[in-house]
Structures are given as structure tokens and as C-alpha cells.
Amino acid sequence: VTVASSRCFTVTMPVDYADTDAGGVVYYANYLAHMERARNAWLRSLGWPVTVLARRHCVLFTVTQANLRYHAPAHLDDELAVTLDVQRLQRASIRFRQTVLRVGDGEGDGHRDGDGDGDGEGDRDGDGDNALLVAAEIRLGAVNGATFKPCRLPAPLTVAIDRWRQFDRDLDATVTVAPAFVTPAVF
Amino acid sequence: VTVASSRCFTVTMPVDYADTDAGGVVYYANYLAHMERARNAWLRSLGWPVTVLARRHCVLFTVTQANLRYHAPAHLDDELAVTLDVQRLQRASIRFRQTVLRVGDGEGDGHRDGDGDGDGEGDRDGDGDNALLVAAEIRLGAVNGATFKPCRLPAPLTVAIDRWRQFDRDLDATVTVAPAFVTPAVF
Amino acid sequence: VTVASSRCFTVTMPVDYADTDAGGVVYYANYLAHMERARNAWLRSLGWPVTVLARRHCVLFTVTQANLRYHAPAHLDDELAVTLDVQRLQRASIRFRQTVLRVGDGEGDGHRDGDGDGDGEGDRDGDGDNALLVAAEIRLGAVNGATFKPCRLPAPLTVAIDRWRQFDRDLDATVTVAPAFVTPAVF
Amino acid sequence: VTVASSRCFTVTMPVDYADTDAGGVVYYANYLAHMERARNAWLRSLGWPVTVLARRHCVLFTVTQANLRYHAPAHLDDELAVTLDVQRLQRASIRFRQTVLRVGDGEGDGHRDGDGDGDGEGDRDGDGDNALLVAAEIRLGAVNGATFKPCRLPAPLTVAIDRWRQFDRDLDATVTVAPAFVTPAVF
């Protein structure tokens, strides 16, 4: 399955042993962690990291629903792109559409036989396309950090999300949020 | 504890809920996953991803020793830098020195009360310095992927590591290995 | 929410720091690992551990769908019961209904303020009932271990599952599958 | 390596996909989670679950050191025994000796080729003995739950631990702490 879609927030990450299981592929639960990382990166890009939500507004997000379809496996050293779009924004909840894609590298050299057994089976399409691995709907509910009762999202956050959706719909934005791997000159 | 050290390979990553535990800090086992991600990123930067090692040379790395000292906790939304240096390179093993630092943000606004309870306790030094959180020695042994018996590292990998150590000692290199968070125009 | 249901396979486990996140509750992805443990324990109880499936029949299970509803959080030291029932058995797939319950201890002493902050908030009903925390539908597909193409379940496994469903429907079975915590006299 | 040792607290658990990585073996970080589960089960058996420590005494444990030696890998469906002994008990810290053993099943039928590839390589000794997989020293420090400063262990806990060490040294105790897998008649 190949996916062409612009305009959704995306983080990329390589597959390491920590992500995989003895089947040689990414363990099914670990995609949920990757999806959380994408949501948090998106909130940070909006200026609303979860710690600010908690500290200034006493609001926590809890996941209330997760529906996942697993289409194809990811292997060691694959480059994953985890995307995020807001399907529905309500007073006290957000419903996300999230996907995990394998980033095509166009090398077409079987380089990506990543299950550690060196068999080069290569049941992946590769070469420049992005394959859809997982599609998900995730619903977050806002709760009061003290009582754990449902509560409204802070109004400025709702405004920021609306603005992002508007901006995101109108522009073909390419925004680099943060470099991941850096060798700084001095620590 | 503040650390000034140049010239070691570094990857950075934010702390997400997936990394933390109910104590409000990063769970002690999860640093080992981060350290593996740094080692893999370093191998990729040398042109030797673990899948190439497995496929072309039938060599796997196994961790044989891990010694960790936990100096200070990391909290939600902290930015971590995971460093790597090669302490000793032998025929069939590599001993790494790895650290996890919290990247100072110089904001000094208590922004980093990250345990989700919004108490702003802020027992962290912050403000521009990098605090040493975890120091580790990790020893990897090379094994044959079929027999799991110890085996030599491929000679070209040994050469590449030696070159990296030489380069790394002589230059104050700043190398961006890969961007982590990107919103590509088209998927 | 209280659940009264007999006749489904159940494993129990306490909540440890490894399961939780900085929100003080079990991290949403970790329930999927617990559910896998329950499925594997069930397969072992049928005489069909996944390694036997792989070795003798070259069959692997892959998760193709997971739908989860999170009703209430679990805290540190809570005792969880993870249940399993077979909703639908087909030639090449199994659809499970799984739940995670918090086992009521009837103590009613606030003993279960488990988020490590000692605030004793106790938003849990407790006292003898089992609270439904998570309800899930999980669909496994059988694939050939070499080609990763869908394949039939081994006929004897299908027979064993049918027998289990029949047995399970007719009897109020209490089967202790395995003790978890033991101090053996001699190792 | 075979280990004969009586008189240390032990929990057992099977290896599931959640524990493993693409190398076909238990991921090196995951043993630390298992060791935490053993420590918590031991504290519960003493009547001192971590939540009681936090709630009644405002004491948290943090891991300050972990030294691990990995001797042999564990595979899918292996039965692990995680042991615990107290090496040193001080005012504000406990140093544990912990091991992970593979429980021998005496079947000697290659049944334990657990890496999911069905190759039956069977590099394990098996048959009735327990193989030492991982040996570790773990040091916990007690800290005040509010200030995170080091603090004394509650005196009654110190007494309970001393009693356990005394009891444990004098008796060949076999204590079943809790059944793990149960199909209760009614939920």
C-alpha cells in the first residue's frame, strides 16, 4: 500500500532492537508509544507541551479509545514516519488520525532485510514510495489533573489547534521541528 | 553535575510518557533502550547498520555487560542527549562509555516541572548547562548469527571505527546525522 | 463499571513501575503487552505454545486489528486480571475479546492509592468488585513463518480451540495454569 | 552455567513476544523490568508494597546503581526464574543480588527452540538444570517522596528485612506468594 498525503504533522524515527520482537518485526504495542511521541512533538510545536498543560492549566490527556489496523510489518533499520492529523476537536476531547509509514529509500538493493537473519527475503516494496504499515484512530480526553474528571481544553490550546488546522490546510508546509541526531561541538 | 565534553557521538530525544513511570521520572530500564538507539545511530553513521552486519557478514552484537550509575532523574518533556564513546575496541568486542545528559535550555522558568503533577518543584539545575543523569559502560560482543559463537568483527568495520576515533579526536566535529521531526511536503 | 462474567481464560498480574507512566497510571500501550501474555498463556494451556506452532507447523500469528476502549486507569500495586474469550474462529484468523479488570480486594481502606504520590485520592470503587479498566477486540491472523503469507491454522489447534470453547461454555472451570511467584527450596 | 542455590526469593515468568527483540532473544533492557517485578513481589510478601511505603512513610525507592552480566540468552516460551537476595542493608539503601535463570524442563526434546524461526538450533543445555542467564547487583536508595532527598528506611521495614534474612538463612522455605494464571469461576 502506498500513501500520498501532504499536510499532516510527521515525525520520523528508525527501528531499533528496542522496538522489535522475536518475530523480527516491530512489536504491535510499540507503535502506540511512537504515536504518543508524535502527538507530544505536535503539542510542543504548538507551544503546548504536556507539562505546560499540566502545570499551568491542571489538564492531563488520557487515551480513551485506540483503534488500530496493522497492514504490513516494519523491520530493524527501517525508517518510520509517524503522522498525525486532527479528525475532530471537541470541548473536552481530540480525535486523531495517525499512521505509521515506512519511508522508501529508493535504493532497491535489498538493504532492508532487517530481521537480523540475513535472509534477504525483502517482502517490502521500497524504492521511493512510503508503505502504510499501521493506521489508527486515537481519542484523547482532557481530565482535571487533580480530580481526573473530564474537563474542557484550555481555550488558547483550542485556538492554536484550529489555527494549525487552518494553516495546515492552506499551506504545503515543511517544518523541521527539531534535529534528532546531533554531535554538538561541546557538551 | 555538569559535564563539559566534546567529541563524542550524541543523539538527542525528548522524554515522553512512554519513557516514564509512576515516580514521575524516566524508568531505569528505559535508558538502556535509549543507549541502544545511540549505538545504532552511530553504526549507521559509520555505514554499518546492524542489518548490514547481519546480512553481509552474519555478525550480531550481543550485550555482555552493562554497568550503570544513576545520578539524577529525567522528567517529562526534558530533552535528553545520549552520548557514546568507544573505550576499547577488541577483535570480538567493543566497550562503550555512554552517558545520558539533560540538555539545559537556559530558560530558567521552571518550565521543566515535568512529572505531570504541576507542583513546580524543580529540583533541577537547568539554565544552559547539561546535567549528567546516567553514566554507563556497555560491552558488546560479536557473535556469529547462525551459531551464536563469539566471532571477529569484520575488518572494514574495525577500520571504520578506528578512523572515527581518530577523526573524532582531531576534530571538533558537528555532524547532523538525521533530522528527527519533519513535516514533509508530500507523503 | 463492575463486571460479572464467568468462563473466560484469565491471568492475573500486579502493576509494577515498569507498567506505569508519569501520569501515575498504567501506560496505554502496556495493556497490549499484558493481553499478549494472556493469549500466550492460553495457547500454552491448550498445549500449543507459539514456539510449537512456529517449529512444527511453520505458523506465526500476527496481530491485524486491535480496538481498545479505556474505561478507568490502573495504579501501582493494583492487581489486574486479563481475560480472554474467542469471539470468532476462522480458517486463518482468530478474533478475541479481551478485558483488563482491577481485582477488588474488599479492604476498602484506601490502600490502593497507587500513584506513588501518597495523596490517597482513591477514585476507585474497589471493595470486592472487579472494575473494568480496558475492553478490547484483538484479531490475529495466521501467516506462514517463511513467506509471511496468510495460511490456515493447523487443524489440531482448531480442534483444541473448539473443545476449549465447548468445555468453557459448559463448565464453570477454575483452572490454575501456573503459579507465578514461588520460592523454590532449591535452585 | 548451572546454579544450585536455595533460599532466595524467586518469581517465575514465561518469555512472551513483549520481552524479546529481533535477535530472537529477550531484549537486554527488559531483564531490568523483570528484576523490578521480583523486588516489588518481595516487598509485598514482607507486607511493604511500594505504595504503602509512599503513602504511609513518604518514602520512594530509586535505583542508583545497576551492574549486569549477560551470560546466555532467553528465548520465547522459556520459563524464567528471577531471584533476589539482600547483599547489604544500610540506613538509606539496599543492595540486591539478583539473577535470572532459565528453568530446566527436563524434556530434552528441543522443545525450546524459541526464536520463532523453527530452526531447532537449541544451543541450550536444558534438561532439568537451571541455566544462569543474567547476574546483577542493583542498589536502591530511599528518598523522601516530596523532596527527593535521601532518607532513612522506615524502621519497621528494616526489621522486616532483617527478619526475612534471618528466616531465609535458617529455613529452606518454599513460599508461594501468589498464583499468576488463574481462571476464576466468576468474575
Side-chain angles (χ1 to χ4, degrees), chain C residues 14 79 179-184, chain D residues 8-12 37-38 40-47 164 174-180:
Chain C
E79 183 80 5
F181 300 122
V182 185
T183 299
Chain D
C8 46
F9 186 84
T10 304
V11 305
T12 65
R37 296 189 194 281
N40 286 2
W42 172 75
L43 283 168
R44 283 184 206 107
S45 80
L46 297 179
W164 176 81
T174 300
V175 180
T176 298
V177 176

Side-chain angles (χ1 to χ4, degrees), chain C residues 51-114:
Chain C
T51 46
V52 166
L53 268 168
R55 188 167 53 86
R56 295 204 194 136
H57 298 271
C58 198
V59 169
L60 301 180
F61 280 123
T62 64
V63 177
T64 54
Q65 294 187 15
N67 298 324
L68 301 121
R69 296 293 172 275
Y70 298 90
H71 295 286
H75 296 74
L76 210 52
D77 278 337
D78 280 351
E79 183 80 5
L80 302 182
V82 185
T83 75
L84 169 163
D85 201 0
V86 174
Q87 277 194 316
R88 190 167 188 197
L89 176 62
Q90 289 183 290
R91 285 187 179 180
S93 68
I94 312 176
R95 201 171 63 208
F96 294 96
R97 163 84 178 173
Q98 296 200 255
T99 67
V100 181
L101 312 171
R102 185 176 46 238
V103 179
D105 58 9
E107 295 190 3
D109 63 355
H111 165 107
R112 281 151 64 212
D113 173 52

Side-chain angles (χ1 to χ4, degrees), chain B residues 38-57:
Chain B
R39 292 194 304 269
N40 286 3
W42 172 76
L43 284 168
R44 284 184 206 109
S45 78
L46 297 179
W48 286 87
V50 289
T51 47
V52 166
L53 267 169
R55 188 167 53 85
R56 294 202 194 139
H57 297 270

Side-chain angles (χ1 to χ4, degrees), chain A residues 8-12 41-42 44-46 164 167-168 172-182, chain B residues 12 79 176-185 187:
Chain A
C8 46
F9 185 84
T10 304
V11 305
T12 65
W42 172 76
R44 283 185 207 108
S45 78
L46 297 179
W164 175 82
F167 172 81
D168 191 58
D172 251 9
T174 300
V175 180
T176 298
V177 177
F181 300 123
V182 184
Chain B
T12 64
E79 183 79 6
T176 297
V177 177
F181 299 123
V182 184
T183 299
F187 257 106

Side-chain angles (χ1 to χ4, degrees), chain C residues 3-6 10-12 16-19 36-37 40 44 49 51 77 114 130 173-175 177-178 180-183 185 187, chain D residues 3-6 8 10-12 16-19 36-37 40 44 49 51 77 114 130 173-175 177-178 180-183 185 187:
Chain C
V3 169
S5 102
S6 62
T10 304
V11 305
T12 64
D16 292 303
Y17 278 111
D19 304 310
E36 186 232 331
R37 295 188 195 282
N40 286 3
R44 284 185 206 107
T51 46
D77 278 337
N130 299 308
T174 300
V175 180
V177 176
F181 300 122
V182 185
T183 299
F187 257 106
Chain D
V3 169
S5 102
S6 62
C8 46
T10 304
V11 305
T12 65
D16 293 302
Y17 277 112
D19 303 310
E36 186 232 329
R37 296 189 194 281
N40 286 2
R44 283 184 206 107
T51 46
D77 277 337
N130 299 308
T174 300
V175 180
V177 176
F181 300 122
V182 184
T183 299
F187 258 106

